[in-house]
Amino acid sequence: MVDARRRRLGSLARTWEWPLAIFFVVGGWALGKLLVRLLGRRVARRFQRPSVTRTVLRLIRTGSLAIGAFAALSVFGLGLGDLVLSVTVFSAVLGLVLAPIVGSVINGVFVLADQPYEIGDMIEITDTGQRGFVEDITLRYTKVFTLDNTFLVVPNGSMRERDVINYSAEDERIRLRLSVGVTYESDVAEARHIMEEAAKEVETVLPGGPDIRIGSARYVAAPTARIDEFADSSVSLTLHYWAKEPYKLSKVRSEVQTAIWDAFAAAEDVEIAYPHTHHVFDETSGTARVAVDGDRDGNGRGGETDAATDADLTGRER
């Protein structure tokens, strides 16, 4: 009689094992969502960084779900020691597969700690030239929304090994430069003034204001043109100017170049230079046979009398 009762109780317990395990898993998932909702603002105020806030909230959700999973496994008689042993054996067998993932997680911790970029920053990966906005930073990867309307997902291990330019980390203003060559006959002072005034008229360029400080150095906020070098065919002028935002740099450059082009075209004493070469001939240059087109014979060859003339390269007839 006692054995029959025990069998009935055991059968009843086995009947409730799966529903109870599912209840624990769903409960852990629901608990995680509830904790995220209750603690989300506090965590955001505490860390004041979107990437760290998202990571902490993910860990809270994962931890709650893990607790529910452990509780569900305990329903089937699996204790913590059995789980640790199983995980240890599994990790040893799949160590080669898990190593890159573990490496990415460790590098993700360093990325979050070093703060090279943050969610919302505009960055450029120098080796590929791809630019975009940081969409998300997890422990395993960084997601970048590129300017070509595509997603770029880069493992944090690879991200830490690359040179990354952050355009909007501290100050969105960015310094650009433009080099223009004018002829030696041009009024160089007037050319510099025209370049500066033309750049100031562009809406996306800082026209002036207080000096901009970078480290211990200070730079003039207004566009400034200086003589860069005396080149072979031109006087090279370099214009330094500040763009208000780093998001459409190619458009800013195009607008500045168009403004300078139009201003130079309206100026009388300034001309954009083009490469040219002077050939100097003297008595050491030798001689050359020169054929006159009008005196060629029917075969296309110069006549014997005056169709071909020996002339030295100084321009004097022999």
Side-chain angles (χ1 to χ4, degrees):
M1 193 69 179
V2 176
D3 293 338
R5 182 177 298 177
R6 288 179 178 176
R7 284 195 296 270
R8 284 197 300 269
L9 291 176
S11 177
L12 182 61
R14 285 192 296 270
T15 303
W16 282 97
E17 282 180 354
W18 281 104
L20 189 60
I22 295 174
F23 171 79
F24 282 134
V25 172
V26 174
W29 173 77
L31 178 62
K33 291 193 64 176
L34 179 61
L35 290 176
V36 168
R37 183 177 300 177
L38 295 176
L39 303 177
R41 292 184 178 180
R42 296 182 182 179
V43 173
R45 287 195 298 266
R46 172 65 178 82
F47 294 100
Q48 297 182 352
R49 289 183 55 199
S51 59
V52 178
T53 300
R54 291 187 184 183
T55 301
V56 172
L57 295 180
R58 287 192 186 103
L59 291 176
I60 291 175
R61 285 196 299 265
T62 304
S64 299
L65 186 59
I67 293 174
F70 282 129
L73 292 174
S74 65
V75 173
F76 297 100
L78 295 176
L80 182 61
D82 298 329
L83 295 176
V84 171
L85 180 60
S86 300
V87 171
T88 303
V89 174
F90 184 75
S91 300
V93 174
L94 299 181
L96 295 177
V97 178
L98 296 177
I101 299 177
V102 175
S104 294
V105 171
I106 295 175
N107 283 288
V109 173
F110 282 110
V111 168
L112 293 173
D114 296 339
Q115 307 179 32
Y117 46 80
E118 186 52 76
I119 294 175
D121 286 346
M122 180 178 177
I123 65 172
E124 177 182 349
I125 303 175
T126 56
D127 57 347
T128 62
Q130 292 176 305
R131 288 187 295 170
F133 297 93
V134 178
E135 182 72 14
D136 195 9
I137 305 172
T138 70
L139 288 175
R140 294 185 295 108
Y141 59 82
T142 296
K143 183 186 290 186
V144 181
F145 191 64
T146 70
L147 301 183
D148 298 325
N149 197 29
T150 59
F151 271 117
L152 180 65
V153 179
V154 185
N156 288 326
S158 174
M159 203 68 174
R160 289 193 68 231
E161 296 176 355
R162 298 183 174 185
D163 294 330
V164 178
I165 300 175
N166 192 333
Y167 286 99
S168 55
E170 301 293 340
D171 192 340
E172 289 188 341
R173 296 173 298 183
I174 183 170
R175 196 180 190 214
L176 303 176
R177 59 181 56 85
L178 171 65
S179 295
V180 179
V182 298
T183 62
Y184 279 92
E185 294 76 19
S186 299
D187 187 340
V188 177
E190 179 66 15
R192 294 172 59 187
H193 178 71
I194 289 175
M195 293 175 66
E196 293 172 352
E197 293 301 317
K200 290 180 182 178
E201 297 299 322
V202 178
E203 184 179 359
T204 52
V205 173
L206 284 177
D211 291 347
I212 297 176
R213 183 171 182 175
I214 302 178
S216 59
R218 293 181 179 272
Y219 295 93
V220 179
T224 305
R226 296 185 176 89
I227 298 177
D228 190 26
E229 65 173 337
F230 297 105
D232 294 336
S233 304
S234 65
V235 179
S236 180
L237 305 178
T238 299
L239 174 72
H240 294 273
Y241 61 96
W242 290 87
K244 296 179 181 179
E245 296 178 341
Y247 308 125
K248 299 180 180 180
L249 297 182
S250 59
K251 181 181 179 181
V252 176
R253 290 192 182 98
S254 178
E255 291 177 347
V256 171
Q257 291 180 116
T258 301
I260 293 176
W261 178 274
D262 295 339
F264 277 177
E268 296 181 356
D269 299 330
V270 178
E271 182 181 1
I272 296 179
Y274 57 89
H276 58 279
T277 304
H278 291 284
H279 295 283
V280 179
F281 305 102
D282 55 20
E283 63 276 3
T284 64
S285 301
T287 61
R289 292 187 62 84
V290 180
V292 182
D293 291 340
D295 294 332
R296 291 180 178 275
D297 58 16
N299 296 326
R301 295 174 298 180
E304 294 181 355
T305 327
D306 57 351
T309 306
D310 286 336
D312 62 17
L313 297 183
T314 60
R316 299 189 299 270
E317 292 183 357
R318 292 188 63 181

